[in-house]
Amino acid sequence: MNESNERRVAVYTGSFDPITLGHLHIIHRASRLFESLVIGIGINAEKGSLFSPQQRRELVRTVTKDIENVRVEFFEGLAVDFVRSLGSRLMVRGIRPMTDIAGEFTMMMANRQLDEDVETVFLMADERFSHVSSSLLKQIASVSDDDEQLAKFVPREIIAPLRIQMRT
């Protein structure tokens, strides 16, 4: 793939277990910056997930169905290898609080060592989503039955599946 094509496709990787409003905000913004955005759902068998990879893919597809230039795929192994397998050189990362920067910087430097041609584009989370994380919303879902409270953290389409998974 030539260099101009490599710059048109960006890849946003994560576990998306489940996808949050913060993730969705980054997806919307990145989809406006790049011709195509691939959401890469990482599969790590050693990491306990609330949702199966297939469930996560369906949930991400559900909340991004109206964004024409977004597609959702699985990957195993290194994110930089996944980015390159798609013919891309661009990785999108969302940063929430300033404490994310150290970890993301470390990851970016490691990725650069693995493939110096893959660039990382950081998008700062909007302040209304800077505190939102999958682990936080799982805590809230486990102690609150108020769907309106949960809707402050996840897309509404995620609430029912989240409630079901939290009960199993």
Side-chain angles (χ1 to χ4, degrees):
M1 189 168 275
N2 69 37
E3 187 171 318
S4 64
N5 286 339
E6 291 175 331
R7 295 175 190 271
R8 293 183 204 168
V9 177
V11 184
Y12 181 27
T13 61
S15 62
F16 304 102
D17 187 39
I19 187 167
T20 68
L21 288 175
H23 292 133
L24 192 56
H25 185 71
I26 295 294
I27 290 167
H28 277 283
R29 290 172 53 208
S31 73
R32 292 190 302 264
L33 293 173
F34 304 103
E35 189 172 304
S36 177
L37 179 66
V38 177
I39 309 302
I41 297 176
I43 299 174
N44 182 348
E46 296 175 12
K47 185 177 177 184
S49 298
L50 183 62
F51 290 96
S52 72
Q54 294 76 16
Q55 289 171 313
R56 288 183 274 156
R57 178 178 56 197
E58 286 311 307
L59 293 173
V60 173
R61 283 181 174 167
T62 296
V63 299
T64 61
K65 68 180 179 287
D66 295 331
I67 311 172
E68 291 181 15
N69 64 333
V70 168
R71 72 180 195 265
V72 185
E73 297 189 18
F74 297 125
F75 77 97
E76 291 184 73
L78 297 172
V80 290
D81 291 341
F82 176 62
V83 170
R84 280 311 224 170
S85 76
L86 297 170
S88 179
R89 292 182 20 194
L90 297 166
M91 186 180 302
V92 172
R93 299 297 301 166
I95 297 179
R96 291 171 298 143
M98 296 304 282
T99 54
D100 275 1
I101 290 177
E104 290 293 340
F105 181 78
T106 300
M107 187 183 304
M108 179 200 65
M109 295 306 292
N111 287 339
R112 189 172 285 164
Q113 290 293 312
L114 295 167
D115 189 332
E116 65 184 22
D117 291 330
V118 173
E119 294 292 341
T120 303
V121 176
F122 294 107
L123 296 176
M124 294 295 294
D126 189 275
E127 80 177 28
R128 64 196 156 134
F129 303 119
S130 65
H131 63 287
V132 178
S133 69
S134 294
S135 57
L136 174 66
L137 75 90
K138 289 173 195 173
Q139 289 176 336
I140 293 168
S142 70
V143 297
S144 173
D145 291 331
D146 186 345
D147 287 352
E148 290 306 310
Q149 293 291 0
L150 206 49
K152 296 176 183 177
F153 301 94
V154 294
R156 289 192 179 277
E157 300 93 333
I158 304 299
I159 294 173
L162 178 61
R163 294 277 187 213
I164 291 167
Q165 285 303 114
M166 295 294 291
R167 284 187 217 122
T168 60

